[in-house]
């Protein structure tokens, strides 16, 4: 049955206009938590066999590409960091430079720093809100005050929850709702 499912998915490539690249979402498409989605690894193998480029994309900003690559390897999918694009990396491209105060984890701050954005605790050009399991009232307060002082305001994604091994947990959108409510501004 699994082989038929994979073959059905692969026949999508048998179109008159050849597909040259595929974007593959990760959470809920390739895996759910630490569990692989059936057929995902075989699908990637088939892309490679057909020499079709692919990029794994994720709206989770708390993990860097190296962590994602390691997770995929545990699920039987081998790739390099060049095959990963996180929302933190996309945020760095969007900002293009400047100074940012982050409500987020190391995956976000590392991506911003790598992208040439100075991560700061004072006088930011931007406030960036993301998934933050170490969220404190002080972080929320500082974000709101920086926005009130004129900093730009951006979020890595609007997802209100994430499904973890323990069940539902608040994600970026839940934190974002608090900052938007308190600041009176919507994120860009």
């Amino acid at each position: 049955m699994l082989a038929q499912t994979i073959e059905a998915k692969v026949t999508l490539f048998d179109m008159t206009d050849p597909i040259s690249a595929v974007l593959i979402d990760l959470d809920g498409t390739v895996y759910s938590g630490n569990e692989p989605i059936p057929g995902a690894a075989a699908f990637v193998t088939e892309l490679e066999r057909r020499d079709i480029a692919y990029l794994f994309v994720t709206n989770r900003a708390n993990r860097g590409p190296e962590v994602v690559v390691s997770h995929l390897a545990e699920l039987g999918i081998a790739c390099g960091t060049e095959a990963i694009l996180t929302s933190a990396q996309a945020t760095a491209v969007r900002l293009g430079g400047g100074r940012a105060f982050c409500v987020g984890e190391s995956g976000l701050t590392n991506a911003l720093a790598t992208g040439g954005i100075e991560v700061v605790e004072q006088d930011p050009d931007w406030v960036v809100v993301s998934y933050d399991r170490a969220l404190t009232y002080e972080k929320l307060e500082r974000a709101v005050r920086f926005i009130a002082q004129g900093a730009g305001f951006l979020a890595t994604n609007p997802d209100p929850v994430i499904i973890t091994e323990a069940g539902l947990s608040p994600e970026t959108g839940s934190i974002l709702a608090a900052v938007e409510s308190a600041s009176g501004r919507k994120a860009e």
Side-chain angles (χ1 to χ4, degrees):
M1 181 66 174
L2 180 58
Q4 292 170 335
T5 302
I6 294 167
E7 188 58 35
K9 291 178 182 179
V10 171
T11 58
L12 293 173
F13 297 117
D14 297 333
M15 302 166 64
T16 54
D17 293 329
I19 294 173
S20 59
V22 176
L23 298 176
I24 306 170
D25 182 41
L26 288 172
D27 297 305
T29 304
V30 174
Y31 53 75
S32 181
N34 289 323
E35 294 299 315
I37 300 293
F43 180 75
V44 173
T45 299
E46 184 63 19
L47 291 175
E48 291 171 347
R49 187 185 73 75
R50 293 177 182 243
D51 200 28
I52 296 173
Y54 59 88
L55 181 67
F56 292 109
V57 295
T58 179
N59 51 3
R60 283 185 66 179
N62 67 313
R63 303 184 313 165
E66 300 83 10
V67 175
V68 176
V69 165
S70 176
H71 186 194
L72 289 171
E74 291 170 7
L75 303 176
I77 299 173
C79 68
T81 57
E82 71 284 351
I84 308 296
L85 178 64
T86 70
S87 61
Q89 292 171 296
T91 299
V93 171
R94 163 64 178 84
L95 294 179
R99 300 163 43 93
F101 174 77
C102 296
V103 176
E105 299 181 15
S106 63
L108 173 63
T109 57
N110 291 342
L112 293 182
T114 298
I117 290 88
E118 184 181 359
V119 177
V120 298
E121 295 296 318
Q122 296 294 325
D123 303 317
D125 302 313
W126 291 93
V127 169
V128 180
V129 173
S130 187
Y131 183 46
D132 190 342
R133 293 169 293 181
L135 179 65
T136 64
Y137 186 83
E138 179 185 2
K139 280 186 190 179
L140 288 174
E141 187 175 58
R142 294 178 77 205
V144 168
R145 290 181 180 166
F146 291 143
I147 293 166
Q149 294 166 2
F153 180 22
L154 196 65
T156 58
N157 68 291
D159 294 351
V161 295
I162 184 169
I163 299 172
T164 67
E165 288 72 33
L168 289 178
S169 295
E171 228 265 38
T172 302
S174 297
I175 299 167
L176 177 61
V179 175
E180 287 181 337
S181 178
S183 70
R185 282 186 45 202
K186 294 283 187 192
E188 293 182 31

